[in-house]
Structure formats: structure tokens, C-alpha cells
């Protein structure tokens, strides 16, 4: 006799929601099992949406009285432009850095906002689509918050690191930057060259890891709290205790969702500001 089906335990429920969609059985010469297809899909989709919104605002801009949409985008653009002016003092560099910072902010806000969707909505829909192929829907994994994926946040921070290295060479010249690597922060003496170089490498690595880990840690923690709140509703029964749990889920979910809006915007702001700060430091000489 087949084993009776049972509802997932709390641990199984959380593990299922924290498992990425990937190719569990890699075939061929290229191992695609390391790719989180859900993070790639939602990051790309939301990136396209963000670029489309900004492009639409630029197309609809007029010299007359702006509409509410144009005014909101202009306020956002001017705010990012002013922040970039205060950190990156090279006007030529700001032609790229300011739009980059604006794109990073909008993109990360959109990625973070996925955390406000009901935790079971898109995974349940994906399970239904998955079952149409005749496969077991229990293995239809899906995570919809790309910034709760360490590979995404570290990818963003590594991209910022690459830009910092490019601007170090562009602003200071290859020779000037190499000279700085071996003479700062302790001074220009041959006995200090190894210590200076090691400290510079540690600084680049530390900034990159902290940049990506900060965003990941906050969004991952937020995702876990939403899952824990959702489990209150999963324990619903036709009893006083069941109704109390359902009411607790609605109340806790509403309060945490409202508070999480602040986290969504704040984490995008911090990531954008650190991007500007790190690129600005690449323009400074020691």
C-alpha cells in the first residue's frame, strides 16, 4: 500500500521555499546545475521592466508642466544626480556613474519588492504549470526574491568592483594605480611594499563581500520572516485557536509588510550609495 500523503512539516515547508529552481540532473559537457534559473529569470524580467519605465519617462518628458509620473522620475533623477555630485567629483565620470546609480537603485527596489508578494502565490502557480508536464509538483521549486540569493547580490557587488578597478586605471593611469597599490596606506618605502599591497587587496575583497552580503542578509532575513508568518495560516483549523492563528497571520503579515517597505527602499539606497562611494574612492589619490 502506498504511503499516505501528509502535509509538509514546518521544516519541509521552509526548505521547499528556500530551494532554487535549477537543473538537478546536469547533462552534457556544461554543468548548468549551478545556475539558479529563478533568480536569473526574475532579475532579467525586472531589469527590463525598470529600464522600460525609465525609458518611458524619458520619452514622455516635456519642457512644460510635467505630469505626476514625469515629476516623480525627475525628482528621483535629480536626487541621484545630487548624491553623485557630492561623492564623484569628476564631471566626465558622472555621465556614466549617475545613470548607473539610478539604474541600480530602481533595479534593486524592484527586486526587493518581490518579497511583498504572498509567499505561496507564484510557487503554487509554478507547481500547477509543472504538474501539467506530468512531473511531480513537489519538486517544482521557485524563489521569487533575487536579492535573497547570494549569487545575485555578490554578482552585483563584483560588478561594482570591476568598475572601481577600471576607474582606478582610467583616472590614475596603470602606473599611478600600481604605485598606489604598493605605497598606500603605510608609505612609500620598499620594506612596506608587501604590507601595503596586502592591505589594498584585503580592502577590495572586504568592500566587495560586505557590499553583497549586506543586501543578501537583510533580504534573506525578511524572506524567512514572511515564511514564518505564512506558517501561522497553515495551521488554520475550524476552532477558536485556528481563527486566532489566522487573525495573527493577517495582523503580523500586514505590520511586517508595511515595515518591510522601508527595508526594501533602504537597502536599495544603501547599495546605491556604497556604489557611489566606492567609485568615488577610485578617483581619489593617496
Amino acid at each position: 500500500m502506498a504511503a499516505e500523503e501528509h502535509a509538509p512539516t514546518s521544516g519541509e515547508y521552509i526548505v521547499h521555499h528556500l530551494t532554487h529552481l535549477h537543473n538537478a540532473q546536469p547533462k552534457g559537457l556544461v554543468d548548468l546545475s549551478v545556475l539558479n534559473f529563478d533568480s536569473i529569470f526574475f532579475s532579467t524580467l525586472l531589469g527590463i521592466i525598470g529600464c522600460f519605465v525609465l525609458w518611458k519617462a524619458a520619452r514622455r518628458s516635456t519642457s512644460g508642466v510635467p505630469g505626476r509620473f514625469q515629476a516623480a522620475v525627475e525628482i528621483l533623477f535629480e536626487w541621484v544626480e545630487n548624491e553623485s555630485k557630492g561623492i564623484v567629483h569628476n564631471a566626465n565620470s558622472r555621465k556614466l556613474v549617475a545613470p548607473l546609480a539610478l539604474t541600480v537603485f530602481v533595479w534593486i527596489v524592484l527586486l526587493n519588492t518581490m518579497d511583498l508578494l504572498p509567499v505561496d502565490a507564484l510557487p503554487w502557480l509554478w507547481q500547477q504549470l509543472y504538474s501539467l508536464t506530468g512531473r511531480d509538483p513537489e519538486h517544482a521549486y521557485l524563489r521569487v526574491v533575487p536579492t535573497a540569493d547570494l549569487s545575485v547580490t555578490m554578482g552585483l557587488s563584483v560588478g561594482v568592483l570591476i568598475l572601481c578597478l577600471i576607474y582606478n586605471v582610467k583616472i590614475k593611469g596603470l602606473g599611478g594605480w600600481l604605485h598606489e597599490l604598493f605605497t598606500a596606506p603605510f608609505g612609500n618605502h620598499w620594506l612596506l611594499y608587501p604590507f601595503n599591497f596586502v592591505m589594498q587587496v584585503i580592502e577590495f575583497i572586504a568592500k566587495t563581500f560586505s557590499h553583497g552580503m549586506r543586501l543578501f542578509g537583510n533580504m534573506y532575513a525578511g524572506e524567512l520572516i514572511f515564511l514564518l508568518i505564512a506558517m501561522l495560516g497553515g495551521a488554520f483549523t475550524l476552532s477558536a485557536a485556528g481563527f486566532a492563528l489566522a487573525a495573527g497571520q493577517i495582523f503580523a503579515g500586514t505590520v511586517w509588510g508595511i515595515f518591510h517597505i522601508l527595508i526594501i527602499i533602504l537597502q536599495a539606497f544603501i547599495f546605491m550609495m556604497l556604489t557611489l562611494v566606492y567609485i568615488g574612492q577610485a578617483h581619489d589619490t593617496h
Side-chain angles (χ1 to χ4, degrees), residues 105-120:
F105 179 78
V106 172
W107 193 18
I108 293 180
V109 166
L110 292 175
L111 297 179
N112 292 350
T113 303
M114 296 294 289
D115 215 2
L116 296 179
L117 295 176
V119 294
D120 291 310

Side-chain angles (χ1 to χ4, degrees), residues 167-190:
Y167 274 109
N168 268 298
V169 175
K170 180 179 179 180
I171 300 299
K172 305 166 188 176
L174 181 58
W177 181 51
L178 290 176
H179 179 267
E180 182 179 282
L181 283 178
F182 288 93
T183 59
F186 299 124
N188 187 4
H189 191 281
W190 66 271

Side-chain angles (χ1 to χ4, degrees), residues 16-17 19-22 38 122-131 133 135-143:
H16 188 277
H17 276 277
T19 304
H20 285 282
L21 172 65
H22 56 81
D38 42 14
L122 290 181
W124 177 85
L125 179 60
W126 174 242
Q127 283 187 332
Q128 306 312 305
L129 296 175
Y130 198 82
S131 63
T133 64
R135 290 178 285 184
D136 185 1
E138 291 298 321
H139 299 292
Y141 302 109
L142 186 72
R143 292 185 67 181

Side-chain angles (χ1 to χ4, degrees), residues 13-21 38-39 42 111-120 122-123 141-150 153 215-231 256-257 260 263-264 267:
Y13 176 81
I14 292 177
V15 169
H16 188 277
H17 276 277
L18 294 182
T19 304
H20 285 282
L21 172 65
D38 42 14
S39 295
F42 288 113
L111 297 179
N112 292 350
T113 303
M114 296 294 289
D115 215 2
L116 296 179
L117 295 176
V119 294
D120 291 310
L122 290 181
Y141 302 109
L142 186 72
R143 292 185 67 181
V144 301
V145 187
T147 43
D149 180 359
L150 183 59
T153 59
L215 177 59
F216 161 74
N218 282 276
M219 298 312 300
Y220 185 82
E223 186 180 27
L224 279 177
I225 293 176
F226 275 120
L227 289 174
L228 293 175
I229 293 174
M231 288 168 57
W256 178 245
H260 202 61
I263 297 176
I264 286 170
Q267 290 305 313

Side-chain angles (χ1 to χ4, degrees), residues 5-251:
E5 294 184 0
H6 63 87
T9 64
S10 300
E12 291 171 344
Y13 176 81
I14 292 177
V15 169
H16 188 277
H17 276 277
L18 294 182
T19 304
H20 285 282
L21 172 65
H22 56 81
N23 183 12
Q25 296 179 344
K27 298 179 180 179
L29 298 176
V30 180
D31 183 5
L32 299 179
S33 62
V34 298
L35 299 179
N36 297 330
F37 295 121
D38 42 14
S39 295
I40 295 173
F41 172 77
F42 288 113
S43 297
T44 304
L45 176 62
L46 294 172
I48 293 173
I49 292 174
C51 290
F52 176 77
V53 170
L54 296 177
W55 172 81
K56 196 70 175 178
R59 285 289 302 271
R60 294 175 58 180
S61 62
T62 61
S63 57
V65 179
R68 285 178 293 181
F69 176 64
Q70 179 183 338
V73 174
E74 286 182 355
I75 291 173
L76 178 62
F77 181 83
E78 291 176 2
W79 167 65
V80 174
E81 178 70 18
N82 290 333
E83 294 291 345
S84 64
K85 285 181 180 178
I87 299 174
V88 181
H89 304 295
N90 187 303
N92 189 49
S93 296
R94 286 199 304 271
K95 294 179 181 179
L96 172 64
V97 174
L100 171 69
L102 176 63
T103 303
V104 166
F105 179 78
V106 172
W107 193 18
I108 293 180
V109 166
L110 292 175
L111 297 179
N112 292 350
T113 303
M114 296 294 289
D115 215 2
L116 296 179
L117 295 176
V119 294
D120 291 310
L122 290 181
W124 177 85
L125 179 60
W126 174 242
Q127 283 187 332
Q128 306 312 305
L129 296 175
Y130 198 82
S131 63
L132 294 178
T133 64
R135 290 178 285 184
D136 185 1
E138 291 298 321
H139 299 292
Y141 302 109
L142 186 72
R143 292 185 67 181
V144 301
V145 187
T147 43
D149 180 359
L150 183 59
S151 63
V152 171
T153 59
M154 287 305 300
L156 291 171
S157 63
V158 169
V160 174
L161 171 64
I162 293 173
L163 277 175
C164 291
L165 298 179
I166 291 174
Y167 274 109
N168 268 298
V169 175
K170 180 179 179 180
I171 300 299
K172 305 166 188 176
L174 181 58
W177 181 51
L178 290 176
H179 179 267
E180 182 179 282
L181 283 178
F182 288 93
T183 59
F186 299 124
N188 187 4
H189 191 281
W190 66 271
L191 287 176
L192 299 175
Y193 288 169
F195 301 100
N196 288 326
F197 180 75
V198 170
M199 287 299 297
Q200 289 276 358
V201 171
I202 292 175
E203 180 182 356
F204 280 117
I205 294 175
K207 288 192 298 187
T208 301
F209 270 92
S210 63
H211 201 190
M213 288 293 294
R214 180 182 290 105
L215 177 59
F216 161 74
N218 282 276
M219 298 312 300
Y220 185 82
E223 186 180 27
L224 279 177
I225 293 176
F226 275 120
L227 289 174
L228 293 175
I229 293 174
M231 288 168 57
L232 293 175
F236 173 76
T237 58
L238 293 176
S239 64
F243 282 107
L245 288 174
Q249 179 197 21
I250 295 173
F251 176 76

